[in-house]
Amino acid sequence: MSARIATVSRDTNETQITVSVNLDGEGRLRSDTGVPFLDHMLDQVARHGMVDLDIDAKGDLHIDDHHTVEDLGITLGQAFHQAIGDKRGIYRYGHAYVPLDEALSRVVIDFSGRPGLYMNVDFTRDTIGSMDTQLFWEFFQGFVNHARVTLHIDNVKGFNAHHQAETIFKAFGRALRMAVAEDPRMAGQMPSTKGSL
């Protein structure tokens, strides 16, 4: 399989973001989004997804974190879409259950070409650090629309909001890792009876 890397930039009146991704990386992250808890969550994606992420993000944080978080999800989704290519030979589907103490989350992803986010999470707090928990939905919606994936996220249990979020992002990384991995039995074939995704 050829190198699966991509760099995408998004420049608007609200944000200036550049994301580089290596799907066959070593789990390294370089990120300074100006939203510390988001950087912590992106570190989980890189480490548990075994992808390398290099992120430069500047946004209108003097207003709030919304535009930065949403636009980062968009740009990350575009980078994954480019890096994955035509999807020949990948597993396509990925899933993971991840616990952290009392919290447990399940994430299931399909690189289907059909965007869809189904997120069932009742955060027990409105903010984690300085980050509004509503913004996690915005991040994943941006990713889903531009990576063109179907994504199901369920927080099965948990009363600590930090643990809820961390299990979600760790499971997301693990599910990504499984879905984009090369399937030796697929031998370069398209993982769909349609012939394209």
Side-chain angles (χ1 to χ4, degrees):
M1 188 174 281
S2 60
R4 300 187 300 167
I5 59 175
T7 299
V8 173
S9 293
R10 178 179 175 83
D11 191 354
T12 74
N13 290 335
E14 298 168 340
T15 61
Q16 298 79 49
I17 298 174
T18 298
V19 172
S20 295
V21 61
N22 177 357
L23 298 185
D24 303 302
E26 299 175 353
R28 288 182 283 190
L29 170 75
R30 190 196 67 77
S31 176
D32 182 10
T33 64
V35 185
F37 192 76
L38 180 60
D39 289 324
H40 180 46
M41 293 301 97
L42 292 168
D43 197 19
Q44 306 307 320
V45 175
R47 184 67 50 87
H48 295 280
M50 288 302 290
V51 295
D52 292 341
L53 298 175
D54 194 323
I55 297 168
D56 284 312
K58 293 180 178 59
D60 53 4
L61 299 178
H62 60 285
I63 296 174
D64 72 4
D65 298 344
H66 187 114
H67 299 140
T68 300
V69 175
E70 180 182 23
D71 286 7
L72 180 56
I74 290 170
T75 312
L76 185 65
Q78 291 171 333
F80 264 82
H81 179 69
Q82 284 189 23
I84 201 73
D86 68 4
K87 305 174 193 167
R88 289 183 183 278
I90 66 166
Y91 278 96
R92 174 181 165 179
Y93 302 100
H95 63 273
Y97 280 87
V98 170
L100 175 56
D101 297 342
E102 89 300 342
L104 175 67
S105 292
R106 174 184 61 223
V107 173
V108 183
I109 193 167
D110 176 11
F111 276 80
S112 61
R114 296 183 304 279
L117 175 62
Y118 307 92
M119 188 168 173
N120 182 22
V121 182
D122 292 319
F123 283 105
T124 58
R125 290 177 52 196
D126 293 334
T127 58
I128 305 172
S130 63
M131 187 170 175
D132 184 338
T133 53
Q134 289 183 333
L135 295 182
F136 294 118
W137 190 91
E138 299 293 342
F139 172 85
F140 286 115
Q141 185 67 68
F143 179 87
V144 159
N145 285 342
H146 293 271
R148 303 177 194 175
V149 299
T150 302
L151 181 64
H152 288 254
I153 299 171
D154 294 284
N155 176 237
V156 179
K157 62 176 77 171
F159 58 78
N160 181 301
H162 187 128
H163 292 173
Q164 289 177 292
E166 193 160 331
T167 56
I168 289 165
F169 277 84
K170 285 178 175 176
F172 178 57
R174 280 281 175 176
L176 283 171
R177 180 177 176 180
M178 181 186 293
V180 305
E182 185 177 9
D183 181 353
R185 295 186 64 199
M186 193 61 71
Q189 296 178 61
M190 184 62 65
S192 171
T193 55
K194 294 182 179 69
S196 66
L197 286 170

